[in-house]
Amino acid sequence: MMASQTKDPGAEAPGSRTPGTSHLVWIRAIWSEKGSLIAILFLLTLLSSAVAVSYPYLSKLLLDTIQGLLETPTTGDPMLEVNRLLLVLVAVGLAGLVASLFPGIRGMTNSVFEHLIRGKYFRRILGKDYSFFSRFASGDIVTRLTDDIYDFPKLSWFLCSGIFRAVESISKVAFCLTAMFLINAELTLYSLIPVPLMIVIFYITQDRIYDTFQKNQQAISAINSRLEMSFSGVRIIKSYACEDKYRRFFNEVLETRRNTEMGVARLEAVLHLIYQYIDYIAQAGIFFAGGIMAVRGEITIGTFYAFYTYLSMLIYPILDIPQLFVSGKRAFVNIDRLEEMANHPDPEFREIRHPVDRIQSIELRDVCFGYGDRPGDALKGVSLIIHRGERLGVIGPVGSGKTTLIKAIIGLLSPRSGEILINGQDLRDSDGDSYRSLLGYVPQEALLFSGTLRENIDFGSDDHTDGNFGMAVQTAQLTSEITAFADKEHTLVGQRGISLSGGQKQRMAIARALARKPELLLFDDITASLDATNEERLMNRLNELSADISCVIVSHRLSTLQYVDKVLFLKEGRTLAFGTHDQLLGNLEYREFIKEITGDS
Ligand code: ADP
Ligand code: MG
């Protein structure tokens, strides 16, 4: 939690821009995952445009036929031709019914893409290491996976509705223009005049559009990050009586978002106004020219009617096409924000990875590790070896690198230099999943998931039997507490259930680790959760369970040292001493540290 408080995505510099073509490649890749759906949509779209455009043309034929009949009556059945045309109109109407299904299909496809993208990027993000999560705040990640892709007019809407509305518009314009050319070429040319103007305006404004929308998405991320912070830190805010101060802090981001939203609304209003006016003027001109031609008798009433209808049909598609470019620019911002996360370097991955089926030994050779941009290293040349069944105690002052060491052993952090060897094999060449399946990790700050106590303990293990559960609970010294709850092991924890004390949570985490039947247990400072008596029971139970379980136990309690074979004494990331407790007593600094912690407890 603390790490996320220092970042503010709203203040982040805009990411480097990818040219338009790579966005198109991205869209094509996503589309190809739902190829047949896209093909159906294309067909339906073209069908519906063709149907819509055929009405005025058929009406013109109908009108012209009637006019012809009135002027020069024939001897045959005058209604025959009219009836034929009416039949065609009915057929077109039926086709229109089928085509009218497709806004519904479009809506469904939007959500198909929404889930597809969210699932895809969620998987990518889960594969990232700590540096990713220290760069992106949780609220920011949530925004990019929800607001950025969800709903009108964001990414998933654009991927289907947006693009297909444009396809519909473009095909309508093309069909209309073809029909109009067929009817009267001269009048049609007049109606093309505003198109280049619209394109020029889009080119002039496109950077502005991108910037405006990017700033707005960043503002939304900033709000969500601060919301996330305020609710996860609500106890601190309340106990410090800082509500007012925090409200002001929150209002700042709200204000930023209000400004960016206003910017978006202003830009949209101006663009809409410009496009609408261009269209009005063009329409008035054509209406005037067409009227004169009809009065002069150069065109029939049917032609004038069809032209009039086509012109009114053209307004919306023509207004909609620039809208596609605008919503495209918006969607490109969303794509870039997703890709920015995906492109954050993945943990180093080697071609050949050896599965780890047993832990014989773990060795650190001269391991140095530093956190991201922080100057200096948190581990400075640490070397140690743990054999199967051995227990290593790690002690040292706060900030000496104990937690960092545990994370490095798990493989959550990759060393800057030096090697971590599992059974003599470099951890980077080992298969991480099979290695970690042999570990039981109890973090310094235990975290439980929402759900029941039982689900939390079973979480990481494949053995969900009562026997295994009982063993884990008993070893972690939790039995009496769980039986004291009304719902026993089915008691809910987390947001909708009870909350446990820090110590209980950590013992839950111990049980969760033990349920995995690990070969290596990593306890990151469990002194707060177990008193000396319970610690002794835990250690004795571990001895009974198996002599083969290796342990790394971070502690700052002297009594822990009696359960370990070797002690690593860390200070400022450096090994001050490594050996048995008795050997280490020869070291002056170690003796002083021991005196200090004995005085403490
Ligand atoms: P310990 O567990 O012994 O108290 P840590 O391993 O947590 O110490 O930390 C060692 C050093 O690394 C400290 O100086 C700490 O400030 C730094 N550190 C720990 N975690 C991070 C992090 N996520 N980003 C940057 N620095 C960190
Ligand atoms: Mg620590």
Side-chain angles (χ1 to χ4, degrees):
M1 278 312 84
M2 292 309 284
S4 67
Q5 307 206 350
T6 50
K7 301 161 291 196
D8 187 347
E12 232 169 60
S16 63
R17 283 197 204 157
T18 4
T21 47
S22 69
H23 293 126
L24 299 184
V25 171
W26 188 94
I27 292 172
R28 205 183 56 200
I30 285 282
W31 265 16
S32 64
E33 296 195 30
K34 297 282 161 202
S36 43
L37 202 57
I38 294 294
I40 293 175
L41 277 167
F42 253 112
L43 284 177
L44 282 178
T45 307
L46 294 183
L47 180 67
S48 101
S49 304
V51 165
V53 171
S54 63
Y55 277 122
Y57 195 75
L58 289 169
S59 310
K60 169 197 143 53
L61 291 182
L62 196 66
L63 280 174
D64 285 352
T65 313
I66 295 169
Q67 198 181 11
L69 289 174
L70 290 175
E71 284 164 9
T72 50
T74 48
T75 42
D77 185 355
M79 288 317 283
L80 210 66
E81 212 169 339
V82 178
N83 280 345
R84 218 178 52 226
L85 278 171
L86 281 176
L87 260 170
V88 176
L89 273 177
V90 170
V92 169
L94 285 178
L97 205 63
V98 176
S100 68
L101 280 178
F102 98 108
I105 301 181
R106 255 180 357 201
M108 271 158 46
T109 314
N110 290 348
S111 34
V112 168
F113 282 125
E114 186 191 329
H115 299 306
L116 186 78
I117 296 170
R118 192 173 294 137
K120 197 170 152 142
Y121 282 88
F122 185 65
R123 272 196 304 280
R124 291 285 300 265
I125 288 169
L126 278 189
K128 302 286 175 186
D129 61 8
Y130 84 96
S131 66
F132 177 88
F133 295 98
S134 54
R135 176 166 159 208
F136 296 95
S138 342
D140 186 21
I141 301 172
V142 169
T143 309
R144 292 176 197 230
L145 288 181
T146 50
D147 190 275
D148 271 60
I149 50 182
Y150 158 76
D151 213 1
F152 174 82
K154 308 285 168 73
L155 185 54
S156 65
W157 176 88
F158 174 77
L159 279 177
C160 177
S161 284
I163 293 183
F164 280 98
R165 243 172 67 176
V167 171
E168 190 187 2
S169 299
I170 291 169
S171 58
K172 259 191 189 153
V173 169
F175 292 158
C176 270
L177 288 176
T178 314
M180 287 160 84
F181 259 112
L182 287 178
I183 299 171
N184 189 305
E186 191 189 339
L187 264 185
T188 312
L189 283 178
Y190 292 134
S191 56
L192 286 178
I193 295 171
V195 176
L197 195 59
M198 287 179 170
I199 293 173
V200 168
I201 289 176
F202 173 75
Y203 268 94
I204 296 173
T205 52
Q206 61 167 347
D207 281 346
R208 181 78 182 270
I209 296 171
Y210 187 98
D211 283 342
T212 310
F213 289 119
Q214 192 187 38
K215 286 204 183 89
N216 195 40
Q217 285 311 114
Q218 282 170 351
I220 297 173
S221 277
I223 287 187
N224 287 348
S225 295
R226 290 205 182 169
L227 270 180
E228 193 262 341
M229 255 190 253
S230 44
F231 293 127
S232 53
V234 70
R235 280 185 205 90
I236 298 174
I237 296 174
K238 287 209 164 282
S239 59
Y240 278 54
C242 278
E243 288 95 335
D244 274 342
K245 204 162 151 193
Y246 205 85
R247 208 173 12 251
R248 282 199 298 279
F249 175 59
F250 191 65
N251 278 344
E252 281 169 25
V253 285
L254 281 183
E255 185 63 21
T256 313
R257 172 157 180 194
R258 207 177 61 91
N259 290 335
T260 58
E261 294 275 10
M262 291 298 279
V264 169
R266 253 198 315 270
L267 185 66
E268 276 186 339
V270 169
L271 285 176
H272 193 75
L273 201 74
I274 294 175
Y275 285 126
Q276 194 126 32
Y277 261 88
I278 293 175
D279 197 67
Y280 277 159
I281 293 166
Q283 220 195 347
I286 290 165
F287 201 73
F288 196 65
I292 291 176
M293 285 168 126
V295 169
R296 285 191 191 144
E298 289 166 13
I299 53 177
T300 63
I301 296 177
T303 305
F304 188 70
Y305 168 80
F307 243 90
Y308 172 80
T309 320
Y310 278 131
L311 273 179
S312 48
M313 259 178 84
L314 271 178
I315 306 175
Y316 288 104
I318 285 195
L319 280 182
D320 225 32
I321 294 169
Q323 214 50 54
L324 163 80
F325 291 105
V326 174
S327 60
K329 275 279 166 189
R330 280 186 93 141
F332 291 175
V333 174
N334 304 137
I335 294 177
D336 288 347
R337 283 164 54 84
L338 287 172
E339 283 293 294
E340 192 188 352
M341 295 197 294
N343 290 337
H344 184 91
D346 283 305
E348 199 180 339
F349 193 82
R350 304 213 177 159
E351 283 289 309
I352 307 154
R353 311 202 113 210
H354 301 281
V356 182
D357 52 5
R358 206 150 196 257
I359 297 178
Q360 294 294 359
S361 69
I362 293 176
E363 186 178 358
L364 268 65
R365 274 196 204 147
D366 212 11
V367 167
C368 294
F369 172 83
Y371 285 99
D373 312 328
R374 261 186 86 129
D377 283 352
L379 291 179
K380 301 180 185 107
V382 174
S383 298
L384 59 88
I385 183 157
I386 313 162
H387 296 286
R388 188 173 178 82
E390 263 182 354
R391 289 183 185 163
L392 171 72
V394 181
I395 64 169
V398 173
S400 56
K402 305 182 293 293
T403 300
T404 308
L405 176 74
I406 295 258
K407 289 183 180 163
I409 293 178
I410 299 173
L412 295 176
L413 314 172
S414 338
R416 271 185 184 159
S417 64
E419 305 172 299
I420 300 173
L421 305 170
I422 311 299
N423 308 336
Q425 172 98 51
D426 196 314
L427 181 56
R428 282 167 291 195
D429 295 326
S430 309
D431 172 53
D433 289 350
S434 65
Y435 168 56
R436 280 180 215 134
S437 71
L438 303 173
L439 307 184
Y441 169 47
V442 180
Q444 198 166 1
E445 282 164 36
L447 178 100
L448 298 185
F449 298 102
S450 297
T452 65
L453 294 172
R454 173 89 188 231
E455 283 163 354
N456 265 284
I457 291 174
D458 282 347
F459 171 79
S461 109
D462 299 324
D463 182 357
H464 292 182
T465 57
D466 287 344
N468 192 48
F469 174 76
M471 175 280 294
V473 167
Q474 205 195 355
T475 314
Q477 310 302 315
L478 264 173
T479 321
S480 58
E481 265 141 318
I482 291 189
T483 39
F485 291 125
D487 291 330
K488 309 278 185 294
E489 66 202 60
H490 302 296
T491 307
L492 282 173
V493 283
Q495 285 181 351
R496 286 180 304 135
I498 52 155
S499 51
L500 299 177
S501 76
Q504 286 170 326
K505 271 192 210 162
Q506 206 176 28
R507 265 176 293 143
M508 284 286 294
I510 296 175
R512 176 163 63 200
L514 291 168
R516 286 163 71 77
K517 297 197 204 98
E519 297 202 356
L520 172 66
L521 270 169
L522 301 133
F523 290 155
D524 193 354
D525 207 346
I526 53 169
T527 31
S529 62
L530 292 165
D531 54 29
T533 327
N534 277 327
E535 184 182 38
E536 188 183 349
R537 287 198 193 127
L538 168 72
M539 292 303 165
N540 291 340
R541 275 293 289 155
L542 282 180
N543 281 341
E544 286 161 30
L545 284 174
S546 162
D548 278 347
I549 305 178
S550 314
C551 297
V552 177
I553 308 171
V554 170
S555 174
H556 54 252
R557 188 193 283 150
L558 190 59
S559 66
T560 312
L561 299 182
Q562 60 186 298
Y563 308 111
V564 300
D565 305 304
K566 290 184 208 161
V567 180
L568 175 74
F569 178 36
L570 280 179
K571 194 173 178 186
E572 288 165 13
R574 230 183 281 281
T575 309
L576 280 197
F578 177 55
T580 63
H581 176 58
D582 290 338
Q583 284 170 343
L584 262 58
L585 284 174
N587 181 308
L588 179 65
E589 273 196 81
Y590 183 73
R591 279 205 307 274
E592 277 178 0
F593 184 72
I594 293 296
K595 218 184 282 170
E596 221 175 275
I597 57 176
T598 332
D600 275 357
S601 51

